[in-house]
Amino acid sequence: MQKPRVKLPEQAKVGEVIEIKTLISHVMETGQRKDQDGKLVPRMIINSFTVTFAGKQVFSAELQPGISANPYIAFHLRVPGPGDFEFTWVDDSGDRSVERLKLNVVA
């Protein structure tokens, strides 16, 4: 998997609701297409996406073959306080892509 892109606000206040946007490049092969020889192309999708903040899980998604290539995922979060995010994508082969970012929390 290629390096994911994650967009956080430049800063946030405790209790503020922020939007977090993610994008990762991945073919997301459904396993239902056939190649030139008529054989099924094996399924290879990102099947799991999880986000932790300050060590606690704050978001998770189980992805299915209907998700498009290069999945874009956005969600909202009420900022509980200062901390670091860890975003993890896992595909069918077990490959993981992890991105860690610090949220700039202001008073």
Side-chain angles (χ1 to χ4, degrees):
M1 280 188 272
Q2 294 185 0
K3 182 173 172 54
R5 293 189 289 178
V6 178
K7 184 172 183 181
L8 297 174
E10 289 185 21
Q11 60 186 22
K13 295 179 182 177
V14 173
E16 180 180 357
V17 176
I18 61 171
E19 182 176 34
I20 300 162
K21 300 175 183 179
T22 70
L23 178 70
I24 188 165
S25 295
H26 195 280
V27 296
M28 299 295 281
E29 184 57 60
T30 66
Q32 298 172 13
R33 262 183 348 108
K34 294 183 180 181
D35 64 14
Q36 294 174 341
D37 298 328
K39 296 178 184 174
L40 284 177
V41 177
R43 177 182 132 146
M44 178 55 67
I45 67 167
I46 294 173
N47 56 46
S48 171
F49 173 65
T50 57
V51 181
T52 61
F53 182 74
K56 294 182 180 178
Q57 185 172 307
V58 295
F59 184 84
S60 69
E62 187 176 305
L63 307 180
Q64 301 296 325
I67 302 291
S68 68
N70 308 321
Y72 166 80
I73 300 172
F75 62 97
H76 293 87
L77 172 76
R78 186 174 306 278
V79 177
D84 296 336
F85 281 101
E86 182 175 282
F87 302 86
T88 306
W89 294 259
V90 181
D91 71 13
D92 287 340
S93 70
D95 286 344
R96 302 171 91 75
S97 185
V98 178
E99 184 74 12
R100 292 177 182 89
L101 295 171
K102 184 171 189 66
L103 180 63
N104 183 18
V105 177
V106 296

